[in-house]
Amino acid sequence: MRDLRCHLLCLGMLMLAPQLANADDARWQSIEQDAKGQTVWFNAWGGDAAVNHYLDWVSGEVKRDYAINLRIVHIADAADTVKRIQTEAKAGRTTGGSVDLLWVNGENFRTLKEGGLLRTGWAEQLPNWQYVDTQKPVREDFSVPVEGAESPWGSAQLTFIARRSQTPQPLLSPQALLAYAKQNPGTVSYPRPPDFTGTALLEQLLISLTPEPDILKQPPQESHFAQVTAPLWRYLDELHPLLWRNGRDFPPTPARMDAMLANGTLRLSLTFNPLHAQQKIATGELPDDSYGFGFQAGMLGNVHFVTIPANARASAAAQVVANFLLSPEAQLRKADPEVWGDPTVLAPDKLNGPQRDALLAHVPADLPPVLAEPHAAWVNALEQEWLRRYGTH
C-alpha cells in the first residue's frame, strides 16, 4: 500500500512539474513584457576602463534584445549610493527611486538589507540561476544571508601582482611578505584603508595571523577585539617602517599601485581579481612579465552581486538585466582578460561543451584556496582602528 502511495505521489509530482515550469515561464515572460521600454539606472563602480567598456556592450545587448534603456551611473564608492537610497527612504519615497540596479557586496549590502531597503526573493527565480555555481558563496555575503536579495555577478579573490624579473618566486605567507619587505625596503605598500582592497588586506592578514579565525564569522565584540586583532597590529608595526615612504603615506588606490609597479617605484601591486595581471598586460598597462599570486594557505575571496532597491522605478527591467549578466554569453565575455577578466560565477559543468571549454580557458591555474570574508561588521572596526593607529602620520 505504501509503495502504491509513493508511486501515485511521484506520478503526481511528475505531472505537476510541467505545470510549474509553465507557470515560471509565464511569470518570466510577463516580467520581460513589463521591462520593454523601461530605463534602468545602474549604479556601478566606474574606476576601470575595461569595466566601463564591458557595461557599454551590455547596454547595447539589452537594448537590442529586450528594448531596455540601460543607463550606467559611474560611481566612486557604492557607499555614496547607499546613502542616497537611505535618504530617499527617509523622505518617504517608496516608489520611483533614483536607483534601479546597484553593483554591491559586503558592508553596503548588509546596510541596505538590514534597513529593509532591498527587493528580496527574486535572484534565484531568474532563469539563468540554473547555471550558477552554488558551491561559491552566492547565498551569503560577508556572512550575511542573501535570501534572494542580490544576484551574483562575478567572483573575486585578493591577489598580489609582481614581475618575474624582480620577484621570480611568489611570496607564500605573511612572513614571506615581511621578509621580502626587509630585503627590498621602500618598494612594498598597500592601498590606504578605507580603500576596499586595502581593508581586504587587513582582513587577509588578520585571518592568517589570529589564533581564533572562527571568531571573525561573528560581529566583533569589544570584549575580544583587542585580543583577536593584536597579532595584526604587531605585524603591521614591524612592516610599516619597511614600506614605501616608511609607511607614512600609502597609495590611494590599487590603480595607483599598478602604475607604481609599472614605473618601478613598487615591486608589488594588489587587486581583487586573479585575472587582473593578464587583463592589464593585454591593455599595455602592466609589463609582460607581470603575474598574480597568493598565500599558500589561502586568500580572501568573495562574490560580487547586483541588487535592486525596494523603491526601484524599473524593477522588472532590472531583473532582466541581472538575468542577462548571468547568461553564459555575458559571463564568458566578462571572463576574457582582453575584455575585463572578471572571474565567472557560473559552474562550467552546467554549460554546454563549447561554453564549458571557453570558460575553463579563462580560469587561472594554481589559484590558492578561497578564504571566506569575515562578518561585514569587521570592516568598519578594522578601518577605525587602523586610522587611529596609522592614519595621522
Side-chain angles (χ1 to χ4, degrees):
M1 190 60 146
R2 182 189 296 171
D3 288 348
L4 180 60
R5 279 202 304 269
C6 287
H7 180 72
L8 290 171
L9 181 62
C10 290
L11 192 61
M13 290 173 70
L14 284 169
M15 292 172 68
L16 189 60
Q19 294 175 33
L20 293 172
N22 289 340
D24 284 344
D25 288 347
R27 183 187 59 80
W28 185 250
Q29 284 170 11
S30 173
I31 289 171
E32 286 189 337
Q33 194 62 39
D34 291 345
K36 283 184 180 173
Q38 287 187 346
T39 297
V40 173
W41 294 95
F42 182 9
N43 285 234
W45 177 66
D48 189 288
V51 176
N52 297 338
H53 288 147
Y54 176 77
L55 287 176
D56 289 343
W57 172 78
V58 170
S59 299
E61 296 295 295
V62 298
K63 176 69 173 176
R64 184 193 67 209
D65 294 345
Y66 304 104
I68 291 169
N69 302 303
L70 185 62
R71 300 285 181 262
I72 310 299
V73 180
H74 298 296
I75 56 175
D77 190 337
D80 297 333
T81 305
V82 169
K83 285 174 190 161
R84 180 148 38 96
I85 295 168
Q86 289 173 318
T87 301
E88 290 177 359
K90 283 174 189 163
R93 192 168 169 184
T94 55
T95 59
S98 62
V99 181
D100 297 297
L101 197 62
L102 172 63
W103 183 7
V104 71
N105 72 345
E107 192 178 18
N108 292 314
F109 171 69
R110 179 182 67 129
T111 300
L112 290 169
K113 185 167 180 279
E114 289 180 354
L117 300 174
L118 295 178
R119 184 185 181 95
T120 59
W122 58 272
E124 296 194 27
Q125 307 302 313
L126 299 176
N128 286 331
W129 176 268
Q130 65 181 306
Y131 303 117
V132 169
D133 183 355
T134 51
Q135 300 301 307
K136 292 182 183 289
V138 293
R139 290 188 167 116
E140 66 170 39
D141 190 350
F142 284 58
S143 299
V144 176
V146 168
E147 296 173 335
E150 55 181 359
S151 173
W153 186 20
S155 301
Q157 189 173 25
L158 192 64
T159 303
F160 293 99
I161 299 175
R163 298 185 58 188
R164 294 273 179 204
S165 56
Q166 298 174 330
T167 315
Q169 297 299 322
L171 312 173
L172 297 180
S173 68
Q175 293 71 29
L177 175 62
L178 185 62
Y180 185 83
K182 287 177 180 173
Q183 292 162 3
N184 303 281
T187 66
V188 174
S189 192
Y190 60 93
R192 177 187 172 89
D195 172 85
F196 176 82
T197 312
T199 301
L201 181 64
L202 301 184
E203 294 177 298
Q204 170 71 46
L205 293 170
L206 179 58
I207 292 170
S208 301
L209 298 168
T210 184
E212 305 173 78
D214 284 349
I215 283 182
L216 304 178
K217 294 174 184 174
Q218 303 299 324
Q221 305 296 323
E222 252 184 79
S223 58
H224 67 232
F225 181 79
Q227 178 187 343
V228 171
T229 59
L232 170 65
W233 311 125
R234 281 198 299 271
Y235 180 90
L236 292 181
D237 286 346
E238 191 173 355
L239 177 69
H240 278 193
L242 307 167
L243 297 182
W244 174 70
R245 293 185 175 171
N246 305 111
R248 295 183 180 280
D249 193 11
F250 293 84
T253 62
R256 182 70 60 83
M257 287 189 71
D258 283 352
M260 294 167 78
L261 175 65
N263 69 24
T265 305
L266 293 180
R267 285 172 172 254
L268 295 176
S269 188
L270 198 61
T271 177
F272 226 101
N273 182 350
L275 291 167
H276 183 83
Q278 291 165 259
Q279 186 231 321
K280 293 302 178 184
I281 290 170
T283 60
E285 293 170 76
L286 282 179
D288 289 347
D289 65 341
S290 301
Y291 72 103
F293 68 88
F295 295 154
Q296 198 166 24
M299 293 294 282
L300 204 67
N302 66 26
V303 168
H304 58 88
F305 300 80
V306 293
T307 192
I308 302 173
N311 72 348
R313 188 189 303 266
S315 62
Q319 289 176 74
V320 174
V321 172
N323 188 60
F324 176 76
L325 294 175
L326 273 183
S327 67
E329 177 196 9
Q331 287 279 312
L332 272 168
R333 187 179 179 89
K334 183 169 66 69
D336 185 343
E338 295 197 14
V339 176
W340 175 357
D342 185 55
T344 186
V345 288
L346 304 188
D349 61 1
K350 294 182 179 180
L351 306 180
N352 65 36
Q355 290 173 337
R356 181 180 63 249
D357 293 345
L359 200 58
L360 288 172
H362 295 319
V363 175
D366 304 322
L367 280 179
V370 174
L371 302 179
E373 297 271 2
H375 188 279
W378 282 92
V379 169
N380 187 56
L382 289 173
E383 287 173 351
Q384 293 307 311
E385 185 63 14
W386 188 94
L387 289 167
R388 188 182 74 77
R389 288 170 177 265
Y390 312 113
T392 56
H393 290 170

